Amino acid sequence: MTDVRRGKIRAVLGKRQPDLTVFLENVHKPHNLSAILRSCDAVGVLEAHCVSFGTRPRAFNDTSAGSEKWIPLHQYPSTKGALELLKSRGLQIAAAHLSDEAIDYRELDYTRPTAVLLGAEKWGVSLEAAALVDKHIIIPMHGMVQSLNVSVAAAVILFEAQRQRLEAGYYNASRLEPDVYTRLEYEWLHPREAEVLRELGKPYPTLEPYSG
Ligand code: SAM
């Protein structure tokens, strides 16, 4: 492991946003899932959440450029349970949803702890989810087609969140709890060793102080 790699990992961890996330409701196509996680990585999302119909396994493809290694995707059995959990963590839930009550996505305050909910490619956000969230947000459309591809919609919204958070100074210093930062630094530097230690139930060793 080189100091350059460790420096890169520390720089990325230092910009991760633990209170900005996405919730993907039945987004199944591997290229969409992959593209969304790639945008999450670029914006600094720490982890993502999803619910899926049936038992179809998740899959990523080259579109992710390996982002799934850096963004854990937590899967839940139901939308309701998942949204309750996210709300209990203090997140406002904004569904990207083409409804009459939707506000322009730029009007939302993304400096608040926020989860952006995105709907299925074919059906959009479920009625259940639409009723449970705090806000509906819309990217104004002025063309012939009614909606964007879900991964494009995710990118547009996430980069507005990044813009607001940059302005608020959220990327100037690490926003991770020290124990989370230390754990992730070890896991990202030594993924195989970390996996073995987790399986054995052993703690990670302390890394040498960073000298870069
Ligand atoms: N027919 C679906 C509908 O009526 O919602 C279209 C689904 S769209 C292809 C997939 C997802 O992308 C939507 O559920 C929404 O989360 C997001 N999306 C696409 N275009 C959007 C827009 N203009 N504003 C907000 N969200 C959008």
Side-chain angles (χ1 to χ4, degrees):
M1 179 252 303
T2 64
D3 275 353
V4 175
R5 181 162 172 74
R6 188 159 175 200
K8 168 77 180 171
I9 284 173
R10 289 172 66 88
V12 171
L13 282 176
K15 294 194 187 303
R16 281 298 199 239
Q17 305 289 307
D19 56 355
L20 176 65
T21 189
V22 292
F23 180 82
L24 311 177
E25 196 187 25
N26 301 309
V27 174
H28 283 128
K29 293 185 180 155
H31 61 276
N32 285 336
L33 210 46
S34 298
I36 292 171
L37 288 191
R38 194 166 174 172
S39 296
C40 284
D41 179 56
V43 166
V45 167
L46 183 66
E47 52 189 12
H49 307 270
C50 72
V51 69
S52 285
F53 290 135
T55 55
R56 195 192 313 198
R58 279 196 319 267
F60 302 99
N61 67 12
D62 288 349
T63 313
S64 77
S67 315
E68 71 276 10
K69 279 194 287 187
W70 314 112
I71 314 276
L73 180 59
H74 302 292
Q75 193 165 342
Y76 302 88
S78 79
T79 292
K80 187 168 183 281
L83 293 185
E84 278 169 3
L85 180 75
L86 295 177
K87 280 187 181 184
S88 74
R89 294 181 183 167
L91 295 154
Q92 64 170 341
I93 319 278
H97 185 39
L98 302 110
S99 76
D100 290 343
E101 64 192 76
I103 58 165
D104 186 305
Y105 75 105
R106 289 160 291 202
E107 287 172 26
L108 194 74
D109 178 3
Y110 299 90
T111 62
R112 287 181 55 196
T114 302
V116 177
L117 187 150
L118 294 136
E121 289 89 348
K122 205 164 176 179
W123 298 281
V125 171
S126 70
L127 288 176
E128 183 191 30
L132 289 171
V133 299
D134 301 300
K135 286 254 164 59
H136 296 172
I137 51 174
I138 191 168
I139 303 161
M141 304 285 293
H142 301 298
M144 297 292 284
V145 181
Q146 189 212 11
S147 66
L148 295 168
N149 167 278
V150 62
S151 67
V152 174
V156 168
I157 296 165
L158 285 172
F159 278 88
E160 168 63 13
Q162 186 199 57
R163 188 192 67 74
Q164 291 186 14
R165 284 173 173 242
L166 277 167
E167 221 168 80
Y170 282 25
Y171 292 86
N172 294 348
S174 174
R175 302 191 61 242
L176 301 182
E177 294 294 337
D179 58 322
V180 175
Y181 185 104
T182 306
R183 174 174 61 78
L184 290 176
E185 187 179 15
Y186 186 82
E187 289 177 355
W188 287 17
L189 282 168
H190 305 291
R192 278 184 222 92
E193 292 87 337
E195 197 179 335
V196 172
L197 289 169
R198 278 199 304 277
E199 276 168 15
L200 294 173
K202 294 196 169 167
Y204 299 153
T206 306
L207 289 167
E208 283 176 22
Y210 178 64
S211 58

